[in-house]
Amino acid sequence: DAGLEQGRVVWTDDTDILEFIRRCGLADVVLDTAPITAHTVAMDVLWMGTPLVTLPGQQFASRVAASILSALSSSAAALIA
């Protein structure tokens, strides 16, 4: 059996910014979106200590999260090159 246990992926409704940032700290890991990667959300996630995995692309909007991770040199973050 491969995959995730039921209940490991949680979908939520929109919320206010404080609750959103609190939730960022509850995740085991955040998988970034492609081809447009996280910008402010990447900072929120990392600020809360949650690892971020991203795949940089060729355009500016697809390289922001990778740039943030590179600048932070975070051992808790993964950059797939």
Side-chain angles (χ1 to χ4, degrees):
D1 257 69
L4 298 171
E5 296 175 24
Q6 185 176 2
R8 294 289 294 164
V9 176
V10 178
W11 299 100
T12 64
D13 293 327
D14 289 343
T15 188
D16 62 77
I17 188 64
L18 293 178
E19 177 61 15
F20 170 76
I21 291 173
R22 186 192 71 79
R23 290 176 184 176
C24 288
L26 298 176
D28 295 323
V29 65
V30 171
L31 304 175
D32 198 7
T33 57
I36 307 301
T37 63
H39 292 69
T40 305
V41 171
M43 294 300 296
D44 294 336
V45 165
L46 295 169
W47 180 55
M48 291 303 292
T50 303
L52 175 68
V53 178
T54 190
L55 176 64
Q58 296 298 315
Q59 303 299 321
F60 168 79
S62 64
R63 299 194 63 77
V64 174
S67 178
I68 291 168
L69 293 178
S70 178
L72 293 175
S73 299
S74 175
S75 61
L79 174 61
I80 301 171

